[in-house]
Amino acid sequence: MHITAKIDYAVRTLLEIARAAHGGSEAALKADAIAAEQSIPPKVLETVLGDLRRAKLVVSRRGPDGGYWLARPAAQISVADVIRAIEGPLASVRGQRPEDVSYRGAAESLQRVWIGLRVNIRAILENVTIEEIALGALPEFVDALTDDPGAWARREPSARS
């Protein structure tokens, strides 16, 4: 799975807003504060915030008291919600949903591989929330996965003869 810069920026943007809200602040978080704290280019952040607003993950208000708030509690926003808001479906094959592709011959069972991949992606991304990341309290299953030393090992493409 490829996590684009835009997805990374969107998650980090929501984490900053969640952290400000968790700190008890009722004040909106300004875009320039998010950009500075997370080193996000301001023009890119504008685009990301627009996408998050359209997806109803953040709300905003203009003016001196304006800024951005989460549209719902951080505990109710999954990483999958953010990815879908920014890039669309979690897994696609040539721009199609895995259930909409079909293959023949030797590739006939490939569709099930793509469906299985999506199931595993969902198992993590739909079950990790912005609140958990912001608080550094990831679910135990994430810790179990990342405690495996093999999780941190790079895999190089197989050498071909």
Side-chain angles (χ1 to χ4, degrees):
M1 178 173 187
H2 178 74
I3 305 297
T4 65
K6 195 172 176 186
I7 290 170
D8 183 61
Y9 292 155
V11 171
R12 290 167 41 208
T13 295
L14 291 175
L15 292 170
E16 279 302 315
I17 298 170
R19 183 176 68 166
H22 189 273
S25 172
E26 295 289 325
L29 197 57
K30 305 269 188 209
D32 59 346
I34 298 168
E37 184 64 28
Q38 289 297 321
S39 300
I40 300 173
K43 287 290 186 190
V44 175
L45 181 60
E46 282 180 38
T47 302
V48 166
L49 285 165
D51 290 346
L52 294 172
R53 206 172 39 250
R54 280 185 288 286
K56 297 182 175 39
L57 295 177
V58 298
V59 291
S60 64
R61 184 174 64 217
R62 292 179 186 243
D65 295 329
Y68 294 88
W69 295 268
L70 296 179
R72 59 184 191 253
Q76 296 175 13
I77 302 172
S78 72
V79 176
D81 294 332
V82 182
I83 293 172
R84 288 181 181 119
I86 300 299
E87 298 286 341
L90 295 178
S92 64
V93 180
R94 299 183 326 265
Q96 298 178 47
R97 296 180 185 269
E99 66 271 18
D100 294 335
V101 299
S102 62
Y103 301 97
R104 295 184 299 197
E108 190 171 344
S109 41
L110 184 56
Q111 180 190 39
R112 292 194 340 258
V113 172
W114 301 147
I115 297 283
L117 173 67
R118 181 177 64 187
V119 167
N120 278 293
I121 290 171
R122 284 178 176 172
I124 294 177
L125 299 179
E126 289 180 349
N127 292 295
V128 177
T129 68
I130 294 300
E131 180 181 68
E132 291 165 328
I133 300 169
L135 296 176
L138 296 175
E140 287 182 20
F141 73 88
V142 174
D143 289 333
L145 290 168
T146 59
D147 283 347
D148 175 2
W152 299 90
R154 293 180 186 208
R155 304 284 195 287
E156 300 298 328
S158 300
R160 307 233 183 225
S161 328

PDB file of all heavy atoms in Angstrom, residues 22-52:
ATOM      1  N   HIS A  22      -7.964  17.996  22.850  1.00  0.00           N
ATOM      2  CA  HIS A  22      -7.745  17.167  24.046  1.00  0.00           C
ATOM      3  C   HIS A  22      -7.130  17.996  25.167  1.00  0.00           C
ATOM      4  O   HIS A  22      -7.344  17.725  26.339  1.00  0.00           O
ATOM      5  CB  HIS A  22      -6.857  15.969  23.721  1.00  0.00           C
ATOM      6  CG  HIS A  22      -6.781  14.987  24.834  1.00  0.00           C
ATOM      7  ND1 HIS A  22      -5.856  15.103  25.850  1.00  0.00           N
ATOM      8  CD2 HIS A  22      -7.526  13.891  25.131  1.00  0.00           C
ATOM      9  CE1 HIS A  22      -6.027  14.117  26.706  1.00  0.00           C
ATOM     10  NE2 HIS A  22      -7.032  13.371  26.297  1.00  0.00           N
ATOM     11  N   GLY A  23      -6.394  19.021  24.791  1.00  0.00           N
ATOM     12  CA  GLY A  23      -5.787  19.891  25.792  1.00  0.00           C
ATOM     13  C   GLY A  23      -6.795  20.802  26.469  1.00  0.00           C
ATOM     14  O   GLY A  23      -6.442  21.624  27.298  1.00  0.00           O
ATOM     15  N   GLY A  24      -8.061  20.657  26.109  1.00  0.00           N
ATOM     16  CA  GLY A  24      -9.111  21.442  26.742  1.00  0.00           C
ATOM     17  C   GLY A  24      -9.399  22.754  26.059  1.00  0.00           C
ATOM     18  O   GLY A  24     -10.263  23.512  26.484  1.00  0.00           O
ATOM     19  N   SER A  25      -8.708  23.042  24.986  1.00  0.00           N
ATOM     20  CA  SER A  25      -8.910  24.302  24.286  1.00  0.00           C
ATOM     21  C   SER A  25     -10.205  24.264  23.482  1.00  0.00           C
ATOM     22  O   SER A  25     -10.454  23.332  22.731  1.00  0.00           O
ATOM     23  CB  SER A  25      -7.735  24.574  23.353  1.00  0.00           C
ATOM     24  OG  SER A  25      -8.007  25.690  22.552  1.00  0.00           O
ATOM     25  N   GLU A  26     -11.024  25.284  23.690  1.00  0.00           N
ATOM     26  CA  GLU A  26     -12.254  25.421  22.897  1.00  0.00           C
ATOM     27  C   GLU A  26     -11.956  26.211  21.628  1.00  0.00           C
ATOM     28  O   GLU A  26     -12.781  26.272  20.733  1.00  0.00           O
ATOM     29  CB  GLU A  26     -13.334  26.143  23.718  1.00  0.00           C
ATOM     30  CG  GLU A  26     -13.789  25.374  24.938  1.00  0.00           C
ATOM     31  CD  GLU A  26     -14.617  24.149  24.594  1.00  0.00           C
ATOM     32  OE1 GLU A  26     -15.372  24.198  23.618  1.00  0.00           O
ATOM     33  OE2 GLU A  26     -14.498  23.142  25.306  1.00  0.00           O
ATOM     34  N   ALA A  27     -10.791  26.834  21.575  1.00  0.00           N
ATOM     35  CA  ALA A  27     -10.435  27.678  20.447  1.00  0.00           C
ATOM     36  C   ALA A  27     -10.145  26.825  19.216  1.00  0.00           C
ATOM     37  O   ALA A  27      -9.664  25.696  19.313  1.00  0.00           O
ATOM     38  CB  ALA A  27      -9.214  28.521  20.790  1.00  0.00           C
ATOM     39  N   ALA A  28     -10.447  27.399  18.085  1.00  0.00           N
ATOM     40  CA  ALA A  28     -10.149  26.730  16.822  1.00  0.00           C
ATOM     41  C   ALA A  28      -8.651  26.751  16.582  1.00  0.00           C
ATOM     42  O   ALA A  28      -7.944  27.634  17.069  1.00  0.00           O
ATOM     43  CB  ALA A  28     -10.874  27.440  15.686  1.00  0.00           C
ATOM     44  N   LEU A  29      -8.181  25.787  15.850  1.00  0.00           N
ATOM     45  CA  LEU A  29      -6.763  25.738  15.504  1.00  0.00           C
ATOM     46  C   LEU A  29      -6.587  26.389  14.133  1.00  0.00           C
ATOM     47  O   LEU A  29      -7.271  26.028  13.175  1.00  0.00           O
ATOM     48  CB  LEU A  29      -6.283  24.283  15.491  1.00  0.00           C
ATOM     49  CG  LEU A  29      -4.777  24.067  15.539  1.00  0.00           C
ATOM     50  CD1 LEU A  29      -4.153  24.735  16.767  1.00  0.00           C
ATOM     51  CD2 LEU A  29      -4.466  22.596  15.564  1.00  0.00           C
ATOM     52  N   LYS A  30      -5.695  27.322  14.057  1.00  0.00           N
ATOM     53  CA  LYS A  30      -5.439  28.041  12.809  1.00  0.00           C
ATOM     54  C   LYS A  30      -4.583  27.194  11.871  1.00  0.00           C
ATOM     55  O   LYS A  30      -3.721  26.426  12.305  1.00  0.00           O
ATOM     56  CB  LYS A  30      -4.697  29.347  13.095  1.00  0.00           C
ATOM     57  CG  LYS A  30      -5.388  30.239  14.072  1.00  0.00           C
ATOM     58  CD  LYS A  30      -6.299  31.182  13.377  1.00  0.00           C
ATOM     59  CE  LYS A  30      -6.842  32.208  14.358  1.00  0.00           C
ATOM     60  NZ  LYS A  30      -8.145  32.676  13.968  1.00  0.00           N
ATOM     61  N   ALA A  31      -4.816  27.373  10.588  1.00  0.00           N
ATOM     62  CA  ALA A  31      -4.078  26.619   9.570  1.00  0.00           C
ATOM     63  C   ALA A  31      -2.581  26.892   9.661  1.00  0.00           C
ATOM     64  O   ALA A  31      -1.776  25.961   9.523  1.00  0.00           O
ATOM     65  CB  ALA A  31      -4.603  26.947   8.179  1.00  0.00           C
ATOM     66  N   ASP A  32      -2.203  28.129   9.916  1.00  0.00           N
ATOM     67  CA  ASP A  32      -0.768  28.421   9.978  1.00  0.00           C
ATOM     68  C   ASP A  32      -0.100  27.723  11.160  1.00  0.00           C
ATOM     69  O   ASP A  32       1.064  27.321  11.076  1.00  0.00           O
ATOM     70  CB  ASP A  32      -0.486  29.926   9.985  1.00  0.00           C
ATOM     71  CG  ASP A  32      -1.129  30.677  11.143  1.00  0.00           C
ATOM     72  OD1 ASP A  32      -2.025  30.120  11.825  1.00  0.00           O
ATOM     73  OD2 ASP A  32      -0.743  31.842  11.370  1.00  0.00           O
ATOM     74  N   ALA A  33      -0.824  27.508  12.251  1.00  0.00           N
ATOM     75  CA  ALA A  33      -0.268  26.774  13.396  1.00  0.00           C
ATOM     76  C   ALA A  33      -0.076  25.296  13.041  1.00  0.00           C
ATOM     77  O   ALA A  33       0.940  24.695  13.400  1.00  0.00           O
ATOM     78  CB  ALA A  33      -1.183  26.914  14.611  1.00  0.00           C
ATOM     79  N   ILE A  34      -1.032  24.729  12.320  1.00  0.00           N
ATOM     80  CA  ILE A  34      -0.920  23.332  11.883  1.00  0.00           C
ATOM     81  C   ILE A  34       0.268  23.189  10.941  1.00  0.00           C
ATOM     82  O   ILE A  34       1.095  22.291  11.096  1.00  0.00           O
ATOM     83  CB  ILE A  34      -2.216  22.861  11.190  1.00  0.00           C
ATOM     84  CG1 ILE A  34      -3.396  22.904  12.154  1.00  0.00           C
ATOM     85  CG2 ILE A  34      -2.039  21.457  10.602  1.00  0.00           C
ATOM     86  CD1 ILE A  34      -4.757  22.742  11.485  1.00  0.00           C
ATOM     87  N   ALA A  35       0.334  24.090   9.963  1.00  0.00           N
ATOM     88  CA  ALA A  35       1.413  24.039   8.969  1.00  0.00           C
ATOM     89  C   ALA A  35       2.780  24.136   9.643  1.00  0.00           C
ATOM     90  O   ALA A  35       3.697  23.376   9.319  1.00  0.00           O
ATOM     91  CB  ALA A  35       1.238  25.153   7.942  1.00  0.00           C
ATOM     92  N   ALA A  36       2.910  25.042  10.600  1.00  0.00           N
ATOM     93  CA  ALA A  36       4.201  25.231  11.277  1.00  0.00           C
ATOM     94  C   ALA A  36       4.559  24.023  12.135  1.00  0.00           C
ATOM     95  O   ALA A  36       5.693  23.539  12.088  1.00  0.00           O
ATOM     96  CB  ALA A  36       4.155  26.499  12.138  1.00  0.00           C
ATOM     97  N   GLU A  37       3.608  23.518  12.892  1.00  0.00           N
ATOM     98  CA  GLU A  37       3.891  22.406  13.810  1.00  0.00           C
ATOM     99  C   GLU A  37       4.234  21.127  13.063  1.00  0.00           C
ATOM    100  O   GLU A  37       5.085  20.359  13.490  1.00  0.00           O
ATOM    101  CB  GLU A  37       2.688  22.165  14.732  1.00  0.00           C
ATOM    102  CG  GLU A  37       2.909  21.097  15.773  1.00  0.00           C
ATOM    103  CD  GLU A  37       4.007  21.422  16.777  1.00  0.00           C
ATOM    104  OE1 GLU A  37       4.275  22.603  17.046  1.00  0.00           O
ATOM    105  OE2 GLU A  37       4.615  20.456  17.292  1.00  0.00           O
ATOM    106  N   GLN A  38       3.574  20.892  11.932  1.00  0.00           N
ATOM    107  CA  GLN A  38       3.762  19.640  11.211  1.00  0.00           C
ATOM    108  C   GLN A  38       4.600  19.795   9.940  1.00  0.00           C
ATOM    109  O   GLN A  38       4.731  18.850   9.171  1.00  0.00           O
ATOM    110  CB  GLN A  38       2.399  19.015  10.867  1.00  0.00           C
ATOM    111  CG  GLN A  38       1.690  18.465  12.083  1.00  0.00           C
ATOM    112  CD  GLN A  38       2.460  17.335  12.724  1.00  0.00           C
ATOM    113  OE1 GLN A  38       3.039  16.496  12.054  1.00  0.00           O
ATOM    114  NE2 GLN A  38       2.479  17.310  14.054  1.00  0.00           N
ATOM    115  N   SER A  39       5.143  20.962   9.690  1.00  0.00           N
ATOM    116  CA  SER A  39       5.961  21.220   8.487  1.00  0.00           C
ATOM    117  C   SER A  39       5.226  20.821   7.210  1.00  0.00           C
ATOM    118  O   SER A  39       5.760  20.120   6.353  1.00  0.00           O
ATOM    119  CB  SER A  39       7.304  20.484   8.577  1.00  0.00           C
ATOM    120  OG  SER A  39       8.022  20.914   9.711  1.00  0.00           O
ATOM    121  N   ILE A  40       4.001  21.285   7.119  1.00  0.00           N
ATOM    122  CA  ILE A  40       3.182  21.034   5.928  1.00  0.00           C
ATOM    123  C   ILE A  40       3.159  22.320   5.110  1.00  0.00           C
ATOM    124  O   ILE A  40       2.844  23.394   5.653  1.00  0.00           O
ATOM    125  CB  ILE A  40       1.746  20.616   6.313  1.00  0.00           C
ATOM    126  CG1 ILE A  40       1.765  19.338   7.150  1.00  0.00           C
ATOM    127  CG2 ILE A  40       0.882  20.439   5.059  1.00  0.00           C
ATOM    128  CD1 ILE A  40       0.409  18.937   7.723  1.00  0.00           C
ATOM    129  N   PRO A  41       3.473  22.252   3.818  1.00  0.00           N
ATOM    130  CA  PRO A  41       3.409  23.463   2.996  1.00  0.00           C
ATOM    131  C   PRO A  41       2.006  24.075   3.068  1.00  0.00           C
ATOM    132  O   PRO A  41       1.007  23.365   2.889  1.00  0.00           O
ATOM    133  CB  PRO A  41       3.734  22.959   1.588  1.00  0.00           C
ATOM    134  CG  PRO A  41       4.479  21.670   1.797  1.00  0.00           C
ATOM    135  CD  PRO A  41       3.904  21.074   3.054  1.00  0.00           C
ATOM    136  N   PRO A  42       1.900  25.381   3.344  1.00  0.00           N
ATOM    137  CA  PRO A  42       0.598  26.013   3.531  1.00  0.00           C
ATOM    138  C   PRO A  42      -0.388  25.807   2.378  1.00  0.00           C
ATOM    139  O   PRO A  42      -1.574  25.574   2.610  1.00  0.00           O
ATOM    140  CB  PRO A  42       0.939  27.500   3.703  1.00  0.00           C
ATOM    141  CG  PRO A  42       2.323  27.476   4.276  1.00  0.00           C
ATOM    142  CD  PRO A  42       3.003  26.309   3.616  1.00  0.00           C
ATOM    143  N   LYS A  43       0.077  25.880   1.143  1.00  0.00           N
ATOM    144  CA  LYS A  43      -0.833  25.682  -0.003  1.00  0.00           C
ATOM    145  C   LYS A  43      -1.375  24.253  -0.032  1.00  0.00           C
ATOM    146  O   LYS A  43      -2.538  24.024  -0.339  1.00  0.00           O
ATOM    147  CB  LYS A  43      -0.129  26.009  -1.325  1.00  0.00           C
ATOM    148  CG  LYS A  43       0.094  27.467  -1.541  1.00  0.00           C
ATOM    149  CD  LYS A  43      -1.236  28.150  -1.809  1.00  0.00           C
ATOM    150  CE  LYS A  43      -0.998  29.605  -2.167  1.00  0.00           C
ATOM    151  NZ  LYS A  43      -2.237  30.353  -2.208  1.00  0.00           N
ATOM    152  N   VAL A  44      -0.532  23.289   0.290  1.00  0.00           N
ATOM    153  CA  VAL A  44      -0.972  21.888   0.336  1.00  0.00           C
ATOM    154  C   VAL A  44      -1.959  21.715   1.477  1.00  0.00           C
ATOM    155  O   VAL A  44      -2.982  21.035   1.331  1.00  0.00           O
ATOM    156  CB  VAL A  44       0.226  20.931   0.484  1.00  0.00           C
ATOM    157  CG1 VAL A  44      -0.231  19.489   0.651  1.00  0.00           C
ATOM    158  CG2 VAL A  44       1.172  21.059  -0.706  1.00  0.00           C
ATOM    159  N   LEU A  45      -1.673  22.337   2.613  1.00  0.00           N
ATOM    160  CA  LEU A  45      -2.571  22.236   3.758  1.00  0.00           C
ATOM    161  C   LEU A  45      -3.956  22.789   3.421  1.00  0.00           C
ATOM    162  O   LEU A  45      -4.967  22.215   3.836  1.00  0.00           O
ATOM    163  CB  LEU A  45      -1.983  22.952   4.975  1.00  0.00           C
ATOM    164  CG  LEU A  45      -2.829  22.886   6.237  1.00  0.00           C
ATOM    165  CD1 LEU A  45      -3.046  21.438   6.679  1.00  0.00           C
ATOM    166  CD2 LEU A  45      -2.184  23.702   7.353  1.00  0.00           C
ATOM    167  N   GLU A  46      -4.005  23.876   2.683  1.00  0.00           N
ATOM    168  CA  GLU A  46      -5.307  24.424   2.255  1.00  0.00           C
ATOM    169  C   GLU A  46      -6.121  23.374   1.505  1.00  0.00           C
ATOM    170  O   GLU A  46      -7.316  23.210   1.755  1.00  0.00           O
ATOM    171  CB  GLU A  46      -5.106  25.637   1.330  1.00  0.00           C
ATOM    172  CG  GLU A  46      -4.760  26.908   2.023  1.00  0.00           C
ATOM    173  CD  GLU A  46      -4.587  28.048   1.010  1.00  0.00           C
ATOM    174  OE1 GLU A  46      -5.356  28.100   0.018  1.00  0.00           O
ATOM    175  OE2 GLU A  46      -3.687  28.866   1.221  1.00  0.00           O
ATOM    176  N   THR A  47      -5.471  22.678   0.594  1.00  0.00           N
ATOM    177  CA  THR A  47      -6.147  21.636  -0.185  1.00  0.00           C
ATOM    178  C   THR A  47      -6.610  20.502   0.718  1.00  0.00           C
ATOM    179  O   THR A  47      -7.745  20.032   0.615  1.00  0.00           O
ATOM    180  CB  THR A  47      -5.206  21.087  -1.276  1.00  0.00           C
ATOM    181  OG1 THR A  47      -4.794  22.169  -2.108  1.00  0.00           O
ATOM    182  CG2 THR A  47      -5.876  20.021  -2.117  1.00  0.00           C
ATOM    183  N   VAL A  48      -5.730  20.069   1.610  1.00  0.00           N
ATOM    184  CA  VAL A  48      -6.057  18.978   2.532  1.00  0.00           C
ATOM    185  C   VAL A  48      -7.233  19.378   3.420  1.00  0.00           C
ATOM    186  O   VAL A  48      -8.185  18.599   3.597  1.00  0.00           O
ATOM    187  CB  VAL A  48      -4.815  18.594   3.373  1.00  0.00           C
ATOM    188  CG1 VAL A  48      -5.196  17.719   4.556  1.00  0.00           C
ATOM    189  CG2 VAL A  48      -3.777  17.908   2.499  1.00  0.00           C
ATOM    190  N   LEU A  49      -7.192  20.568   3.979  1.00  0.00           N
ATOM    191  CA  LEU A  49      -8.280  21.030   4.838  1.00  0.00           C
ATOM    192  C   LEU A  49      -9.596  21.122   4.071  1.00  0.00           C
ATOM    193  O   LEU A  49     -10.657  20.791   4.604  1.00  0.00           O
ATOM    194  CB  LEU A  49      -7.925  22.373   5.485  1.00  0.00           C
ATOM    195  CG  LEU A  49      -6.923  22.278   6.629  1.00  0.00           C
ATOM    196  CD1 LEU A  49      -6.353  23.651   6.965  1.00  0.00           C
ATOM    197  CD2 LEU A  49      -7.544  21.633   7.854  1.00  0.00           C
ATOM    198  N   GLY A  50      -9.529  21.520   2.814  1.00  0.00           N
ATOM    199  CA  GLY A  50     -10.738  21.539   1.984  1.00  0.00           C
ATOM    200  C   GLY A  50     -11.316  20.147   1.810  1.00  0.00           C
ATOM    201  O   GLY A  50     -12.534  19.944   1.934  1.00  0.00           O
ATOM    202  N   ASP A  51     -10.455  19.172   1.540  1.00  0.00           N
ATOM    203  CA  ASP A  51     -10.911  17.778   1.405  1.00  0.00           C
ATOM    204  C   ASP A  51     -11.506  17.270   2.718  1.00  0.00           C
ATOM    205  O   ASP A  51     -12.538  16.598   2.719  1.00  0.00           O
ATOM    206  CB  ASP A  51      -9.752  16.865   0.989  1.00  0.00           C
ATOM    207  CG  ASP A  51      -9.287  17.094  -0.447  1.00  0.00           C
ATOM    208  OD1 ASP A  51     -10.008  17.752  -1.223  1.00  0.00           O
ATOM    209  OD2 ASP A  51      -8.179  16.613  -0.782  1.00  0.00           O
ATOM    210  N   LEU A  52     -10.854  17.572   3.824  1.00  0.00           N
ATOM    211  CA  LEU A  52     -11.350  17.126   5.128  1.00  0.00           C
ATOM    212  C   LEU A  52     -12.677  17.796   5.484  1.00  0.00           C
ATOM    213  O   LEU A  52     -13.559  17.178   6.090  1.00  0.00           O
ATOM    214  CB  LEU A  52     -10.309  17.393   6.220  1.00  0.00           C
ATOM    215  CG  LEU A  52      -9.004  16.598   6.107  1.00  0.00           C
ATOM    216  CD1 LEU A  52      -7.972  17.096   7.128  1.00  0.00           C
ATOM    217  CD2 LEU A  52      -9.262  15.109   6.270  1.00  0.00           C
TER     218      LEU A  52
END
